[in-house]
Amino acid sequence: MNKKHSDLIKKYGGDAIVKRLDPYLTAKRTKRIAAVLDARLQSIQLAIEHPADINNALAAVRSSEALGISTVHIIAPESNAVYARSITQGAIYWVDVIYYETLAQFLNKINSQKIVLAAGALHATQPLSRMPIDQPLCIMLGNEQRGLSAAAQAACHLTFKIPMYGVSESLNLSVSAAISLYDTTSRKRALLKQDGDLTAQQRSVQQAGYYLNSVDARLIGLFK
């Protein structure tokens, strides 16, 4: 969510923004937004540390959005995003993508929320399919060549690997993210016995953000 939208939601509240903008959205659009929110998961997140090619990280954002993930963390990318909108097919507007300059900034935020960090690592012994998903979880993946830094690995509570049976010894960053999220979100939804887990407050904020993304930018002037 961009800062302008975030500031508006903080100032007026999600419910007020939704009520004000609702007349400007079609019934089809509001129904689609409601269905997406019903399936959003906040208890599973994705973090990518030091991506060498930010476009690989943004491709993972697209997969995250498609699988119903609400939040993606990108830590100290090594290059700037190019054509972010086309690579993510607009997904960047529907996922909360948070950028950090340092690993410490990310860890401070994630630890304050008591989220379990799980590192994807080739040396791990626990397969992805056995990784616990009964607590809020953030899957953490590293640089395309170097993997996660030693500091990031030390900060993680769990490690897991994606079993591979071919000659290739590693997977593309965005593919690793998609596989990891598909497995964990599927098992999480089975555990919840429902598709999503947003609280009323989280839903209100995200709905307001989606409404702001769905109307002509000139309508934001209604809140001045």
Side-chain angles (χ1 to χ4, degrees):
M1 187 183 302
N2 67 47
K3 187 177 186 304
K4 186 174 184 179
H5 290 181
S6 180
D7 288 345
L8 282 174
I9 294 170
K10 288 179 181 178
K11 182 176 180 179
Y12 295 100
D15 291 345
I17 287 176
V18 168
K19 183 177 181 180
R20 189 72 178 88
L21 294 181
D22 187 73
Y24 299 97
L25 273 69
T26 65
K28 181 179 179 180
R29 186 63 164 180
T30 58
K31 184 178 180 180
R32 177 59 178 160
I33 289 174
V36 168
L37 290 170
D38 285 343
R40 277 291 189 249
L41 289 172
Q42 187 62 36
S43 59
I44 294 181
Q45 302 178 17
L46 175 68
I48 302 173
E49 183 195 33
H50 298 312
D53 185 347
I54 189 61
N55 298 319
N56 287 335
L58 293 174
V61 170
R62 182 181 178 184
S63 296
S64 299
E65 197 285 323
L67 291 168
I69 298 298
S70 291
T71 305
V72 177
H73 310 272
I74 299 179
I75 306 156
E78 296 181 357
S79 62
N80 293 323
V82 178
Y83 307 125
R85 182 175 181 177
S86 62
I87 291 169
T88 62
Q89 293 294 301
I92 199 166
Y93 297 117
W94 311 106
V95 176
D96 192 10
V97 181
I98 307 173
Y99 292 87
Y100 305 85
E101 293 183 1
T102 67
L103 175 64
Q105 290 175 343
F106 164 73
L107 292 176
N108 284 339
K109 178 161 188 170
I110 216 77
N111 289 335
S112 69
Q113 298 175 352
K114 298 182 180 179
I115 297 174
V116 175
L117 275 176
L122 293 174
H123 62 76
T125 57
Q126 177 174 243
L128 171 65
S129 60
R130 294 183 183 175
M131 187 169 57
I133 45 82
D134 56 330
Q135 299 181 64
L137 178 72
C138 182
I139 292 170
M140 195 167 186
L141 302 175
N143 179 274
E144 294 89 329
Q145 287 78 43
R146 303 186 303 274
L148 287 170
S149 66
Q153 291 185 52
C156 287
H157 307 95
L158 304 169
T159 59
F160 71 91
K161 65 178 180 181
I162 300 172
M164 290 178 287
Y165 304 99
V167 175
S168 299
E169 296 181 348
S170 63
L171 294 168
N172 175 275
L173 172 62
S174 61
V175 172
S176 295
I179 292 172
S180 301
L181 292 175
Y182 179 80
D183 175 272
T184 51
T185 57
S186 296
R187 291 192 287 122
K188 186 68 177 186
R189 289 184 169 109
L191 180 67
L192 292 170
K193 294 184 170 57
Q194 61 185 36
D195 290 335
D197 65 2
L198 295 181
T199 65
Q201 175 62 20
Q202 290 167 345
R203 185 186 178 95
S204 174
V205 169
Q206 290 201 29
Q207 186 179 18
Y210 290 1
Y211 274 48
L212 287 166
N213 282 335
S214 299
V215 299
D216 189 298
R218 288 174 295 182
L219 289 174
I220 296 176
L222 293 169
F223 297 97
K224 292 181 180 179

